[in-house]
Amino acid sequence: MKLLIIQVGKTADEYLKEGIGIYTKRIANYLELEVETVKPSLQKDKLKAMQEEEKSILSKIKQGDFLVVLDEKGEELGSRQLAVKIQKWMERGVGRIVFIIGGAFGISPELKKRTDFIFSVSKLTFTHQMVRLILVEQIYRSMTILRNEGYHHD
């Protein structure tokens, strides 16, 4: 199983980079993980910016990828629920799960329509850079849950 995280824009803050690095290394013990960064749009118009970023995102996606968009209006899952979802996707024979984290304006409506699952990490609003850390930690947590390891406590 392979995972790809597509994110719009670089992670600027060192503490976030450090945390993302820690969990990315841990995930490598379970799955192959790749992170692709696409340039944020310079458009001031929200819809135009999202559409421009959509083109960059789509250039990284392959036929047969299972697309998971992170969006505040998506389905909220607990850690165990996310682990079960990932396990089901893996059992379906999905070759690669692609998590997509949009930029400042989010993900275009057109891309949301093409996605397989829309996921919200919380009802709280986080910066798109903070969500990157939350996502990789939750992927790692999911792997430890599936292997019945001691990281997660209910």
Side-chain angles (χ1 to χ4, degrees):
M1 167 61 76
K2 294 181 181 180
L3 294 180
L4 171 63
I5 297 173
I6 301 174
Q7 58 192 23
V8 177
K10 294 181 180 179
T11 305
D13 296 322
E14 286 302 318
Y15 75 97
L16 291 173
K17 287 181 191 177
E18 182 179 347
I20 291 166
I22 288 168
Y23 288 105
T24 300
K25 286 178 188 169
R26 290 181 184 183
I27 292 168
N29 294 318
Y30 303 93
L31 300 166
E32 184 179 328
L33 173 65
E34 184 180 353
V35 178
E36 289 276 350
T37 303
V38 298
K39 289 183 180 179
S41 172
L42 299 176
Q43 294 283 338
K44 300 294 182 212
D45 180 81
K46 179 179 177 178
L47 185 58
K48 287 180 182 178
M50 288 188 298
Q51 290 171 336
E52 189 176 298
E53 291 167 356
E54 175 188 356
K55 289 178 186 174
S56 298
I57 291 167
L58 289 174
S59 73
K60 307 291 183 188
I61 294 171
K62 297 177 184 175
Q63 182 85 16
D65 283 346
F66 187 89
L67 305 182
V68 179
V69 164
L70 276 72
D71 184 88
E72 61 189 9
K73 293 181 179 81
E75 185 178 340
E76 284 187 55
L77 302 172
S79 296
R80 286 200 178 274
Q81 293 170 308
L82 178 60
V84 168
K85 284 263 190 217
I86 290 173
Q87 183 175 36
K88 285 181 181 179
W89 298 333
M90 291 183 338
E91 288 171 354
R92 267 207 251 169
V94 171
R96 187 169 77 159
I97 301 171
V98 179
F99 289 91
I100 303 169
I101 303 171
F105 295 123
I107 299 291
S108 72
E110 294 81 20
L111 183 53
K112 285 182 191 176
K113 288 178 190 172
R114 295 181 64 173
T115 196
D116 297 292
F117 184 70
I118 300 175
F119 172 49
S120 172
V121 298
S122 174
K123 286 185 180 184
L124 298 171
T125 302
F126 297 104
T127 68
H128 55 283
Q129 292 188 32
M130 291 179 101
V131 167
R132 298 168 187 177
L133 175 57
I134 294 166
L135 176 62
V136 292
E137 191 280 336
Q138 286 298 303
I139 292 169
Y140 171 71
R141 183 176 296 274
S142 293
M143 295 301 99
T144 64
I145 289 170
L146 294 176
R147 295 229 180 139
N148 203 26
E149 297 173 358
Y151 181 76
H152 179 77
H153 306 286
D154 289 315

